[in-house]
């Protein structure tokens, strides 16, 4: 077991233990936001045939060298037409966007630059070969523009349909147990006894798991009892792909997640040199990866953001910059001084906004790691290296939370 590791080292250790990556076949309608399991190749050329990019006239370019040329209309090609007239010398075929180019034609005159009268048309503008969209110019049959690990964005969904796929193979969503531990916790909605508080972390962490593309399994709260915790962990290891606990990982007598993991589990690291969120542990329980997140609500969110999110992303084989669904790294100019932390990466809550050409940041609320409102009131985290402070006007690394 390693103790007091850097965030980079924590990530390195955690990524040595991943979840199983399994495929799931889904109707395209349901694949939005999922990660592609296999490369997806095109069943067709795109475009499938030469067609017009504009409404107008399919003509022979050579016929239209002079403005005012009059051509004989031979018919119409509309999108979906199966019978398209030939265009001979001195002829034009009315054509709509997406309609097949008639044999003999090699350019398009747009409708705005023509005047039709009876069975002939006067051409008042240039005939443009560039307005013909050529067969296969976007994709050729068999090409693989979507790769394993790609996120199925709305445009990727559209592309999959363009290529003829009504089903796609995506990465099955991992199911992740979320277990809250603490005698003082009461589920929201229930009456509070003296000195108890509403439990929030299992809700927040479940929501984070969902955002990263997993399926959270929120467990009933565990009292500070080793036996109850063991039972919950055993059940979770059987039925889930990974486990996240909240609370009970510090040095206290009742920090039972740390205790049980030290005695009966396999701890890979404990404590990360970061603030907030110092006490997390990572290891395995009955073969399943387990993250022991701190109980302080801000700490658990921050540790999820910088550790669990990139781990999930990597483990699911996503090629998104890891953790980018949660946050993107940016440079910001601080509008006020910021205190760092001795020996620790310091992630203070900051508000990032665009001002002119640069991103600026400031802080507003109380920064305590118990104050979850600070995560709502801000949209970023500073990344102050250990033992550094920042002055007003300094430009620093930060995470812009999405
Ligand atoms: P612990 O890590 O168990 O020592 O908890 C640290 C702090 O976080 C304490 O103030 C706890 O009351 C609080 N806390 C622990 N778990 C939760 C939770 N699930 N929801 C809200 N606060 C919690
Ligand atoms: Mg506790």
């Amino acid at each position: 077991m390693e103790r007091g590791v850097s965030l980079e080292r924590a990530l390195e250790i955690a990524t040595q233990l991943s979840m199983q990556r399994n495929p799931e076949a889904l109707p395209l309608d349901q694949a939005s936001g999922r990660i592609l399991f296999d490369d997806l190749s095109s069943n067709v050329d795109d475009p499938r045939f030469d067609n017009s990019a504009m409404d107008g006239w399919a003509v022979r370019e050579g016929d239209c060298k002079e403005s005012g040329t009059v051509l004989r209309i031979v018919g119409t090609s509309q999108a979906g037409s199966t019978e398209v007239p030939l265009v001979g010398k001195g002829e034009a075929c009315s054509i709509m966007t997406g309609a097949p180019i008639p044999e003999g034609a090699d350019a398009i005159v747009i409708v705005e630059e023509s005047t039709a009268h009876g069975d002939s048309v006067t051409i008042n503008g240039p005939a443009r070969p560039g307005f013909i969209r050529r067969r296969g110019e976007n994709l050729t049959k068999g090409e693989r523009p979507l790769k394993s690990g790609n996120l199925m964005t709305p445009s990727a969904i559209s592309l999959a349909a363009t290529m003829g796929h009504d089903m796609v193979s995506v990465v099955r969503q991992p199911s992740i147990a979320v277990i809250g531990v603490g005698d003082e916790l009461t589920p929201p909605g229930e009456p509070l006894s003296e000195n108890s508080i509403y439990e929030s972390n299992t809700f927040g962490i479940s929501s984070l798991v969902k955002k990263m593309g997993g399926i959270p399994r929120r467990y009933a709260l565990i009292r500070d009892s080793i036996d109850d915790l063991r039972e919950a962990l055993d059940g979770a290891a059987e039925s889930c792909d990974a486990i996240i606990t909240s609370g009970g990982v510090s040095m206290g007598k009742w920090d039972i997640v740390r205790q049980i993991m030290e005695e009966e589990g396999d701890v890979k690291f404990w404590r990360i040199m970061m603030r907030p969120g110092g006490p997390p542990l990572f290891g395995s329980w009955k073969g399943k990866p387990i993250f022991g997140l701190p109980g302080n609500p801000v700490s658990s969110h921050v540790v999820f953001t910088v550790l669990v999110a990139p781990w999930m992303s990597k483990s699911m084989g996503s090629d998104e910059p890891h953790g980018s669904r949660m946050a993107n790294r940016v440079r910001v100019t601080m509008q006020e001084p910021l205190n760092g932390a001795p020996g620790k990466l310091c992630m203070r809550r900051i508000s990032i906004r665009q001002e002119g050409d640069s991103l600026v940041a400031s802080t507003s609320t109380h920064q305590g790691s118990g104050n979850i409102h600070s995560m709502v009131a801000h949209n970023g985290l500073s990344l102050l290296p250990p033992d550094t402070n920042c002055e007003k006007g300094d430009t620093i690394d930060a995470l812009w939370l999405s």
Side-chain angles (χ1 to χ4, degrees):
M1 192 236 290
E2 294 183 36
R3 277 166 190 259
V5 296
S6 68
L7 178 59
E8 291 71 30
R9 178 67 189 143
L11 268 168
E12 219 172 78
I13 297 172
T15 45
Q16 284 165 15
L17 206 62
S18 27
M19 298 179 282
Q20 264 206 358
R21 186 177 186 264
N22 294 315
E24 176 182 6
L26 277 189
L28 193 55
D29 271 336
Q30 293 168 27
S32 186
R34 300 292 293 270
I35 296 159
L36 210 52
F37 189 84
D38 291 318
D39 291 0
L40 208 57
S41 65
S42 184
N43 293 336
V44 291
D45 289 332
D46 173 39
R48 277 197 66 210
F49 44 83
D50 291 359
N51 70 82
S52 178
M54 306 293 277
D55 292 333
W57 304 92
V59 298
R60 294 177 175 229
E61 191 185 9
D63 286 346
C64 305
K65 293 293 180 201
E66 281 166 32
S67 189
T69 304
V70 177
L71 302 175
R72 194 172 71 81
I73 299 172
V74 292
T76 299
S77 175
Q78 62 194 65
S81 283
T82 48
E83 282 177 31
V84 179
L86 275 173
V87 169
K89 198 166 168 33
E91 293 176 340
C93 175
S94 168
I95 194 163
M96 312 303 152
T97 302
I101 301 295
E103 223 182 295
D106 57 13
I108 302 293
V109 173
I110 61 173
V111 73
E112 295 86 340
E113 294 176 346
S114 69
T115 321
H117 28 81
D119 58 1
S120 60
V121 55
T122 304
I123 303 301
N124 306 317
R128 286 181 265 219
F131 282 158
I132 297 179
R133 304 191 283 213
R134 302 286 172 192
R135 173 178 184 156
E137 73 180 10
N138 302 333
L139 285 177
T140 51
K141 189 174 171 177
E143 214 176 311
R144 297 166 175 260
L146 289 174
K147 302 276 191 295
S148 170
N150 282 175
L151 178 67
M152 291 304 284
T153 58
S155 45
I157 295 278
S158 212
L159 178 55
T162 299
M163 301 193 302
H165 298 281
D166 63 337
M167 298 286 294
V168 287
S169 172
V170 296
V171 176
R172 191 177 60 76
Q173 291 180 285
S175 96
I176 299 190
V178 181
I179 302 174
V181 182
D183 275 350
E184 76 281 28
L185 305 173
T186 299
E190 289 185 16
L192 286 169
S193 56
E194 202 180 342
N195 295 335
S196 74
I197 58 166
Y198 287 131
E199 192 274 326
S200 63
N201 286 347
T202 64
F203 292 91
I205 294 168
S206 295
S207 177
L208 290 163
V209 165
K210 234 186 232 172
K211 191 162 173 178
M212 285 308 296
I215 300 173
R217 306 276 184 223
R218 215 168 51 76
Y219 276 57
L221 287 173
I222 303 291
R223 300 282 143 215
D224 285 327
S225 142
I226 292 256
D227 290 337
D228 291 357
L229 177 59
R230 183 184 302 109
E231 198 182 318
L233 292 180
D234 284 348
E238 287 248 314
S239 59
C240 297
D241 298 295
I243 305 167
I244 299 176
T245 62
S246 137
V249 285
S250 302
M251 293 293 279
K253 185 159 174 236
W254 298 109
D255 285 326
I256 60 169
V257 174
R258 179 185 52 77
Q259 279 176 39
I260 200 173
M261 281 299 294
E262 279 179 354
E263 286 159 20
E264 305 172 36
D266 180 9
V267 184
K268 302 290 186 199
F269 70 74
W270 179 45
R271 304 189 80 87
I272 302 179
M273 301 304 283
M274 59 187 263
R275 178 182 293 169
L281 66 73
F282 173 79
S284 65
W285 181 267
K286 306 258 157 92
K288 294 290 167 68
I290 174 168
F291 289 87
L293 301 191
N296 273 313
V298 173
S299 307
S300 68
H301 270 250
V302 170
V303 175
F304 190 102
T305 302
V306 297
L307 178 69
V308 186
W311 175 84
M312 274 184 76
S313 185
K314 190 126 201 263
S315 196
M316 291 164 76
S318 165
D319 70 352
E320 295 168 87
H322 294 141
S324 65
R325 279 194 209 192
M326 209 59 82
N328 280 292
R329 208 180 167 107
V330 290
R331 298 274 294 164
V332 299
T333 303
M334 282 305 303
Q335 295 195 311
E336 63 210 53
L338 212 54
N339 281 337
K344 293 180 175 177
L345 171 67
C346 185
M347 288 178 277
R348 300 207 177 268
R349 272 68 72 211
I350 56 177
S351 293
I352 303 175
R353 65 189 179 282
Q354 182 92 37
E355 226 178 72
D357 285 343
S358 53
L359 296 177
V360 298
S362 55
T363 57
S364 49
T365 64
H366 174 52
Q367 292 274 336
S369 60
N371 181 18
I372 192 64
H373 178 228
S374 70
M375 288 294 288
V376 176
H378 297 90
N379 62 357
L381 296 170
S382 69
L383 291 171
L384 274 183
D387 307 309
T388 60
N389 296 317
C390 134
E391 301 302 328
K392 181 178 175 183
D394 284 354
T395 299
I396 61 165
D397 286 328
L399 291 175
W400 199 346
L401 304 173
S402 11

